[in-house]
Amino acid sequence: MANPVPKPSYKRFKPTAKQRGNISPSVSQKVHERAGGRCERCGWAPGTFDPTGKRMGLQRAHLVRRWKLERTTEHDIALLCGPSVNSGTCHHWIDYTAEGREWAESFRMKLMGQYVQG
Ligand SMILES: [Zn+2]
């Protein structure tokens, strides 16, 4: 009974990129509340006229590459018009263009700054 309790040897859990990219329901809800039903970049709202005809709806888009994250929080995500496979949508723009990636990075910094200020 006097034996010292051994330190627990938890196996170090290393999440996969997919798991790190998972968006929890609470994160998803915060992003949707922040966006208010509009694309956070161009302001397009589903159901309104889209001159490009390419926007099908709003999608949660990662602002950083998933492998860079420990886990996904609300400032890692933007609600953007998509689908990402359609060029001309904001989701495609941040995923496939250098300009879009820069925007995503600075938008994320802006979001993080807002959270720091409370
Ligand atoms: Zn958009």
Side-chain angles (χ1 to χ4, degrees), residues 55-118:
R55 297 180 175 95
M56 311 292 283
L58 298 176
Q59 297 184 321
R60 295 162 307 181
H62 274 83
L63 296 169
V64 283
R65 294 299 182 202
R66 289 159 192 230
W67 55 263
K68 289 186 177 176
L69 298 170
E70 273 296 312
R71 66 191 183 93
T72 300
T73 61
E74 56 269 27
H75 52 244
D76 302 318
I77 301 290
L79 198 64
L80 298 179
C81 60
S84 59
V85 291
N86 277 9
S87 63
T89 67
C90 294
H91 197 169
H92 180 279
W93 184 70
I94 74 156
D95 274 5
Y96 297 104
T97 72
E99 191 193 2
R101 293 235 60 85
E102 274 176 32
W103 178 89
E105 190 60 35
S106 62
F107 187 67
R108 181 166 175 261
M109 290 301 152
K110 200 176 114 190
L111 292 174
M112 290 175 99
Q114 285 170 359
Y115 283 108
V116 168
Q117 285 156 24

